[in-house]
Amino acid sequence: LFFLQESMHAYAANVYTTVVEELMKGKHRKFIAVEQEFFRLWWDAVATDVQKQQVHQLLQEGRLEFVIGGQVMHDEAVTLIDDQILQLTEGHGFLYETFGVRPQFSWHVDPFGASATTPTLFALAGFNAHLISRIDYDLKTDMQKNKKLQFVWRGSPSLSESQEIFTHVMDQYSYCTPSQIPFSNRSGFYWNGFAVFPDPPKDGVYPNMSLPVTDANVGLYAQTMVANIKQRAAWFRTSDVLWPWGCDKQFFNASVQFSNMDLLLDYINEHSAEFGVTVQYATLGDYFQAVYNRNLAWEIRDSQDFLPYSTEPFQAWTGFYTSRSALKGVARRASSLLHAAEAFFTQYVHKQPAGSICKCQALKQLQSLRWAVSEVQHHDGITGTESPKVKDMYMDHLIFGMFNVKKLMASIILDMNNTEKSGEVYSYVYNKDSGRPGAVGSDQYVFVYNPLAWNITTFVVVSVGHPSLSVWDELGHSVPAQVQGSAESPFTYDLYILVSISGLSYRKYSIKPSAGKQSAFIGRSVKYKQKDITRRYQKRRQRLFAVANNCYEVMFDQDTNLMHSITERETNQTVQVTQEFLEYHVNGDVKKGPISDNYLFSPNASAVPVSKAVGLEVVFGSLVTEIRQYFYSNATALEYTYAMYTRMYRVPEGYDGKWLCRRLEQQYSAGPVELNREAVLRTSTNLSTGQLLYTDSNGYQIQKRPFKAYVNNTVARNYYPMVQTAYIEDDSTRLVLLADRAHGVSSQANGQVEVMLHRRLWNNLEWDLNYNLTLNDTSVVRPVFWLILGTKSATKMLYRPSGLALGHRPVVMFGALAGGKPELSRRLQQSPVHRPPVTVPPNLHLQTLSIQGWKYSSNHSEQTRSVHMGKQKQADADFSRVLLRIMHLYEVGEDPVLSQPVVVNLKSLLKGLGSVVLVEERSLTGTWDVSALKRWKWKTAQYPSKGFNNNAESSENYTVTVHPKEIRTFFVYFQDE
């Protein structure tokens, strides 16, 4: 919070205050505003009634334009599509409710590389054009030379033409005004200079203010500007040149900026015959309208993205895929909890209309977490490219939001069970990176909520104080469970409980002192002798031992304590698989060569193995077998920096365990690592993959990543982001890795996949030191991965729903009985009124079920009228409108069955919440009625006439057909109860 206040004080509030004031002084002046977080802080806490009225006027006149309009300009490499949609919806809801405006152009100028998911996202939100800037330096040079910086992008192979979007790549000058001018050593065209932290200078004189425009120098300024405009014009096909005026932290003193700009623009226009150029203030919409009106035919780009991103041969921006792994983990857990809580609250409001929880207060708690999850998607947030104090702010907002939302969920359970106040349901917020709550005693209730709209069978893990326990469900039936000593603490035990839960439903389990034969199974620990692995490549007869469940047999080498191979039992196919931790050593001294920092990855040489000895312990159990490997730097070391815990699950008869059996769950522990080390886990197989890697794009689609040889920096330039999924394959077999947070991933050799887990860096680059961007991260990180091995067809069916199951694990809350009152115990065992669960077929994902609370009318003319009359200010939050999003998980032609369109009856899908009386289909962020949304259709060689795109499909009788990769958004209204 302090950082936000400091930024508001130093410059952000002044941008909006002075820009609004200056725009009112001249009808010719225009301005674009992007991120809503700072604008909303200004609007709510700083803006006067007069300034608010002026903003309304400027928007109506088209002189102030909101572009993108999300809470932030989100990162494109390491964010999940669900979170991109969340932050975009958050900003768009505010803009539409407050002003009745809907952004139609993107300004994605600063994310480090461009994903192919983003154009689809913006097309679905109703945008007419998309703008990016940071792509590989050599590719940009080539595109500039050949006038190919503009194209129609079909980001999704399945949605193709229906969600294509015109895309503009900024030229080599990117989004800033040129900073060098030949006649002055001050900054180029920044008359307000550079912002000063934490306090603005009292005399208003900022560092490096450009020379004011005078009669004496206006000609020099004009010549410089015109030369730059003409240089840029040669790189584009039309004679309209987009000349961005500004940069990071600019226009905080808009008066001095606009007065000098006016003088310069007037001079150029007065001499336009001589210069061959006319100039005018414009919004981004003005520019794209001018290009659209030229009616040229544009090239089509397919679904290939612009990742990774390099700015020069030794500057590959692939380090941030892993930077601040703990923040990445907490951000994803917060997102997952929010997804669960939104659906849980929506169900509560409709199932318990007379419930005792204050809905307005509950909505505030959800909004607080929406804000925290939205802001961390910023391209200097979840990326780990911020200073420690800003990272701490993100972390504090997330943890505070999670704490309150967990409390809300616990209160809902209490109210839905109609218990007395003497029964306490409490929830535990995870500590920063373990994901494990503290130990609970016996005579506890465990409430487990399934946030997915599928029936699930999985294990939840509860830390307990002693091993003699039994677990029972609501009906008094014994529940399969296993207890074993915790790997993380010698004083606690891990209790694994097998849960089977319907879609968007919860179950209650009681943990009691052991009752003889109904006790939880006890895991039996076998410790093996520590082994020297330095001679592992010597020829020898291998001694192997097996650990198996119904799906896999995993062989371990007794002489090294390392994994040797995995056999997939259904096909009896064996793949050699070895795993080891390695570190890249990197340079931190700019005088000695390229450096690694929060953004960049610049390895000195090949990665080096970290351990010479491996310790092994196997906990054998009837339900869970856990293989614990500890990696020591040498045979005499007492402490380890790296550990790996591999869990294999067995499911008893009568339970549907196909997903559970098919995954090898691995949790890694890495850190604290030494300074200027980058830690990776390398998995090597005998699959013949030709170094071809596949990674997901924002959890939405898959990108093919062939290994590319470069003159310089080949290792770093072959790193890619995995947000959720990466896999390698040969002709018949695929090895899939699913992750609980984003990582950098690469295939540096045939049959290999390596994942970067952790980074700890320091360097002396002046820019990094000035902004405290040295990433001296001393944390221990504990990421979770699921490995799936099998035929292509089998893994194809599994990896998409499994990735979601890993990302949306059940929410576990704990209940204690005060004084163990028997009547309360009976009440907690009664289920609330039974309503049908909410379930969708396995190829669909219920992406959003939420009460947003926005007060805007879904009728556009009504909404603009109420904004004009100032009516919307008085309204209360709207609890009657439910936001529903359904996403098809598969691509066209990916699977003969799962790639088929799916017919969904929304009335029947949601009957557990009540009787649906009205469904309205909306654009992705909810602000457009899809039947009224007509996006610009740009002319291409394939489609030689421009026009409008309208992809509305009617939902007759509440029935909709969801096609491959579609994301369909609806407002749903229920009959009042």
Side-chain angles (χ1 to χ4, degrees):
L1 193 60
F2 172 72
F3 164 75
L4 282 174
Q5 289 166 340
E6 188 181 271
S7 298
M8 287 293 284
H9 175 64
Y11 80 97
N14 295 337
V15 171
Y16 292 111
T17 300
T18 64
V19 164
V20 168
E21 184 185 341
E22 290 305 309
L23 291 178
M24 294 306 292
K25 290 180 182 172
K27 288 276 187 194
H28 60 299
R29 292 174 171 179
K30 296 189 178 186
F31 194 79
I32 60 168
V34 183
E35 296 175 314
Q36 289 309 298
E37 177 149 333
F38 278 121
F39 180 80
R40 288 172 75 172
L41 290 169
W42 175 79
W43 183 260
D44 291 337
V46 179
T48 64
D49 287 345
V50 170
Q51 286 166 334
K52 288 182 176 182
Q53 194 44 53
Q54 289 172 337
V55 169
H56 277 281
Q57 183 187 331
L58 291 166
L59 286 166
Q60 278 169 6
E61 291 173 1
R63 298 200 292 115
L64 174 63
E65 180 175 80
F66 289 111
V67 293
I68 308 179
Q71 277 293 92
V72 296
M73 186 189 299
H74 68 255
D75 167 68
E76 297 196 35
V78 298
T79 49
L80 204 53
I81 188 169
D82 305 55
D83 299 329
Q84 297 174 355
I85 294 169
L86 171 80
Q87 72 84 22
L88 205 56
T89 302
E90 186 63 22
H92 284 191
F94 165 76
L95 287 175
Y96 194 51
E97 179 179 278
T98 313
F99 306 112
V101 300
R102 302 175 286 201
Q104 290 184 276
F105 304 98
S106 101
W107 180 260
H108 252 228
V109 295
D110 211 16
F112 321 129
S115 155
T117 301
T118 314
T120 304
L121 182 86
F122 289 149
L124 288 167
F127 286 18
N128 288 319
H130 176 39
L131 183 146
I132 61 176
S133 181
R134 292 184 182 267
I135 67 169
D136 251 355
Y137 69 97
D138 43 3
L139 178 60
K140 183 177 276 196
T141 302
D142 187 59
M143 290 169 80
Q144 256 179 206
K145 195 171 71 187
N146 295 301
K147 296 193 178 188
K148 290 184 184 290
L149 290 169
Q150 293 168 316
F151 46 85
V152 170
W153 197 355
R154 293 183 178 167
S156 161
S158 294
L159 301 180
S160 187
E161 185 213 343
S162 70
Q163 300 302 339
E164 68 188 16
I165 192 166
F166 181 80
T167 303
H168 172 105
V169 184
M170 297 195 109
D171 58 47
Q172 68 188 44
Y173 290 101
S174 192
Y175 61 94
C176 295
T177 325
S179 54
Q180 306 299 317
I181 47 178
F183 55 91
S184 165
N185 59 3
R186 296 195 210 171
S187 66
F189 296 82
Y190 304 131
W191 290 282
N192 53 200
F194 296 123
V196 176
F197 282 77
D199 296 305
K202 289 187 170 54
D203 58 3
V205 178
Y206 285 84
N208 221 13
M209 294 171 81
S210 298
L211 290 171
V213 174
T214 61
D215 289 346
N217 65 21
V218 67
L220 295 170
Y221 265 120
Q223 283 166 17
T224 304
M225 184 171 174
V226 167
N228 184 265
I229 289 169
K230 287 182 170 175
Q231 181 189 12
R232 288 170 149 181
W235 300 328
F236 292 93
R237 290 179 60 203
T238 77
S239 54
D240 315 288
V241 177
L242 175 66
W243 209 76
W245 212 319
C247 197
D248 296 354
K249 303 182 187 71
Q250 282 294 311
F251 282 89
F252 51 84
N253 184 353
S255 168
V256 66
Q257 192 66 24
F258 271 109
S259 56
N260 282 282
M261 288 156 72
D262 280 355
L263 292 169
L264 177 52
L265 298 190
D266 287 348
Y267 182 87
I268 292 172
N269 286 334
E270 284 161 12
H271 298 81
S272 62
E274 173 193 332
F275 286 129
V277 165
T278 58
V279 284
Q280 66 179 68
Y281 288 109
T283 63
L284 190 59
D286 293 336
Y287 171 71
F288 279 127
Q289 184 74 64
V291 176
Y292 183 66
N293 290 346
R294 298 282 179 187
N295 203 19
L296 299 183
W298 300 96
E299 277 189 11
I300 293 169
R301 180 179 177 87
D302 66 12
S303 59
Q304 190 56 48
D305 63 10
F306 292 97
L307 287 163
Y309 160 63
S310 292
T311 36
E312 52 184 73
F314 283 101
Q315 289 189 349
W317 294 51
T318 56
F320 80 91
Y321 302 158
T322 307
S323 296
R324 301 205 193 285
S325 179
L327 175 64
K328 285 174 165 68
V330 171
R332 283 280 276 279
R333 273 210 298 282
S335 159
S336 173
L337 179 64
L338 177 63
H339 170 266
E342 296 275 18
F344 200 44
F345 176 64
T346 303
Q347 290 170 288
Y348 172 73
V349 167
H350 287 280
K351 288 179 179 180
Q352 308 272 113
S356 66
I357 290 171
C358 169
K359 291 190 294 193
C360 293
Q361 187 54 36
L363 187 61
K364 282 201 175 92
Q365 288 169 324
L366 289 168
Q367 285 167 334
S368 158
L369 189 53
R370 285 178 200 163
W371 187 289
V373 174
S374 293
E375 74 178 2
V376 79
Q377 307 311 317
H378 189 277
H379 58 274
D380 279 317
I382 197 168
T383 50
T385 54
E386 65 285 279
S387 68
K389 84 175 170 193
V390 180
K391 180 265 294 179
D392 290 344
M393 177 203 76
Y394 285 129
M395 203 70 112
D396 289 347
H397 288 183
L398 290 165
I399 287 170
F400 177 74
M402 288 167 80
F403 178 77
N404 284 325
V405 161
K406 271 274 187 106
K407 275 203 313 196
L408 169 63
M409 292 183 77
S411 306
I412 288 174
I413 281 181
L414 200 60
D415 196 54
M416 283 172 92
N417 282 279
N418 197 20
T419 53
E420 295 160 5
K421 290 289 174 233
S422 54
E424 178 199 1
V425 176
Y426 62 90
S427 56
Y428 186 89
V429 176
Y430 297 145
N431 67 29
K432 282 194 180 179
D433 206 28
S434 77
R436 291 280 178 86
V440 299
S442 54
D443 269 338
Q444 295 284 345
Y445 285 89
V446 178
F447 298 85
V448 185
Y449 177 70
N450 169 20
L452 292 166
W454 303 317
N455 301 337
I456 62 161
T457 300
T458 190
F459 282 98
V460 295
V461 189
V462 177
S463 290
V464 292
H466 63 88
S468 302
L469 298 167
S470 55
V471 181
W472 307 84
D473 68 12
E474 309 95 322
L475 302 171
H477 298 141
S478 174
V479 174
Q482 178 175 317
V483 67
Q484 60 197 44
S486 169
E488 288 178 20
S489 161
F491 308 111
T492 59
Y493 296 86
D494 292 338
L495 175 64
Y496 287 81
I497 304 171
L498 184 64
V499 299
S500 258
I501 313 178
S502 304
L504 302 192
S505 302
Y506 75 90
R507 297 279 307 270
K508 295 169 299 206
Y509 301 91
S510 56
I511 302 172
K512 297 185 173 174
S514 178
K517 67 178 195 301
Q518 303 292 356
S519 298
F521 298 111
I522 294 187
R524 183 174 54 86
S525 166
V526 178
K527 288 192 174 148
Y528 294 79
K529 198 175 159 203
Q530 190 189 94
K531 295 295 164 69
D532 178 346
I533 61 168
T534 53
R535 292 188 294 279
R536 74 188 122 154
Y537 298 115
Q538 291 176 4
K539 281 223 159 36
R540 58 187 166 82
R541 185 167 162 273
Q542 288 177 317
R543 298 182 305 144
L544 307 175
F545 71 92
V547 181
N549 65 7
N550 292 338
C551 297
Y552 298 114
E553 181 178 68
V554 183
M555 304 299 281
F556 285 86
D557 186 335
Q558 290 185 31
D559 295 320
T560 63
N561 288 340
L562 294 173
M563 190 184 285
H564 170 270
S565 61
I566 303 174
T567 301
E568 201 273 309
R569 298 182 72 169
E570 194 178 346
T571 58
N572 207 26
Q573 163 110 22
T574 300
V575 177
Q576 284 174 17
V577 180
T578 57
Q579 293 184 298
E580 64 177 332
F581 294 103
L582 302 99
E583 288 175 346
Y584 286 100
H585 293 207
V586 295
N587 170 45
D589 184 353
V590 290
K591 296 190 188 77
K592 292 182 180 170
I595 54 137
S596 270
D597 64 9
N598 299 51
Y599 309 89
L600 310 176
F601 171 42
S602 302
N604 284 345
S606 300
V608 179
V610 296
S611 60
K612 293 182 176 168
V614 177
L616 177 68
E617 176 186 7
V618 181
V619 182
F620 294 95
S622 305
L623 300 175
V624 185
T625 294
E626 184 174 61
I627 300 105
R628 301 171 178 175
Q629 293 164 288
Y630 303 97
F631 294 77
Y632 296 92
S633 56
N634 58 62
T636 57
L638 299 174
E639 300 286 319
Y640 57 86
T641 305
Y642 297 92
M644 185 186 307
Y645 309 102
T646 303
R647 300 176 195 110
M648 298 175 70
Y649 298 108
R650 284 182 200 81
V651 182
E653 288 289 319
Y655 286 85
D656 176 12
K658 62 178 183 295
W659 283 12
L660 200 48
C661 175
R662 288 301 303 263
R663 64 184 182 237
L664 292 172
E665 179 170 290
Q666 293 196 317
Q667 182 166 23
Y668 312 125
S669 176
V673 295
E674 289 179 40
L675 208 51
N676 288 330
R677 300 281 191 273
E678 316 218 16
V680 301
L681 176 88
R682 182 177 290 166
T683 302
S684 304
T685 73
N686 62 344
L687 296 176
S688 181
T689 63
Q691 276 183 278
L692 178 59
L693 175 69
Y694 295 83
T695 67
D696 71 312
S697 174
N698 311 106
Y700 178 65
Q701 60 194 33
I702 295 291
Q703 289 276 341
K704 203 172 181 174
R705 307 295 193 188
F707 188 87
K708 295 175 185 168
Y710 295 96
V711 176
N712 299 304
N713 217 15
T714 292
V715 170
R717 290 186 79 175
N718 278 284
Y719 256 79
Y720 295 92
M722 73 174 284
V723 176
Q724 193 177 61
T725 310
Y727 62 83
I728 55 173
E729 63 185 22
D730 64 11
D731 293 342
S732 61
T733 306
R734 180 181 287 176
L735 174 67
V736 182
L737 274 60
L738 301 170
D740 71 343
R741 68 194 71 180
H743 297 272
V745 64
S746 185
S747 179
Q748 296 285 336
N750 183 36
Q752 251 182 31
V753 57
E754 70 181 39
V755 179
M756 190 177 286
L757 301 177
H758 204 4
R759 322 178 70 218
R760 184 181 173 198
L761 309 167
W762 186 89
N763 68 74
N764 57 6
L765 181 70
E766 191 180 352
W767 194 86
D768 282 344
L769 292 174
N770 289 345
Y771 291 97
N772 195 9
L773 291 175
T774 52
L775 202 65
N776 188 2
D777 184 347
T778 56
S779 65
V780 177
V781 296
R782 297 183 178 89
V784 174
F785 280 73
W786 288 356
L787 274 60
I788 300 174
L789 178 72
T791 61
K792 286 186 187 179
S793 58
T795 54
K796 206 178 282 177
M797 289 166 64
L798 279 165
Y799 83 86
R800 291 187 192 275
S802 296
L804 285 163
L806 174 57
H808 296 287
R809 285 170 283 184
V811 179
V812 180
M813 288 162 284
F814 305 93
L817 298 185
K821 295 187 178 177
E823 74 278 6
L824 189 60
S825 173
R826 277 198 302 278
R827 276 205 186 160
L828 271 173
Q829 291 200 358
Q830 292 165 7
S831 287
V833 180
H834 181 71
R835 302 257 195 148
V838 179
T839 51
V840 295
N843 49 356
L844 296 187
H845 169 43
L846 196 141
Q847 198 174 25
T848 311
L849 182 68
S850 159
I851 291 172
Q852 292 283 298
W854 296 116
K855 297 172 272 196
Y856 59 73
S857 166
S858 55
N859 178 308
H860 183 60
S861 49
E862 213 171 90
Q863 174 58 13
T864 46
R865 194 161 53 247
S866 79
V867 167
H868 195 60
M869 316 256 304
K871 272 187 191 163
Q872 86 289 356
K873 289 174 195 154
Q874 287 80 45
D876 290 327
D878 182 353
F879 289 95
S880 67
R881 181 165 59 204
V882 171
L883 175 67
L884 170 73
R885 278 195 200 95
I886 298 174
M887 171 174 157
H888 197 302
L889 294 177
Y890 290 83
E891 298 282 0
V892 168
E894 184 179 357
D895 183 272
V897 176
L898 296 168
S899 292
Q900 294 302 315
V902 185
V903 178
V904 182
N905 184 306
L906 299 179
K907 198 178 178 89
S908 125
L909 173 69
L910 299 172
K911 64 179 181 284
L913 275 72
S915 179
V916 173
V917 292
L918 178 65
V919 172
E920 299 169 341
E921 182 156 11
R922 308 294 291 182
S923 60
L924 184 69
T925 59
T927 54
W928 289 88
D929 172 346
V930 288
S931 61
L933 175 57
K934 293 183 169 52
R935 296 194 308 117
W936 296 352
K937 175 89 180 142
W938 294 72
K939 197 161 125 178
T940 60
Q942 230 169 316
Y943 296 92
S945 62
K946 66 174 193 172
F948 294 98
N949 250 332
N950 185 317
N951 300 301
E953 188 184 304
S954 65
S955 46
E956 298 293 318
N957 305 325
Y958 308 107
T959 298
V960 294
T961 303
V962 187
H963 295 272
K965 292 319 286 183
E966 280 189 337
I967 301 173
R968 303 285 288 278
T969 305
F970 305 93
F971 286 162
V972 181
Y973 303 85
F974 294 86
Q975 194 171 322
D976 288 340
E977 302 216 359

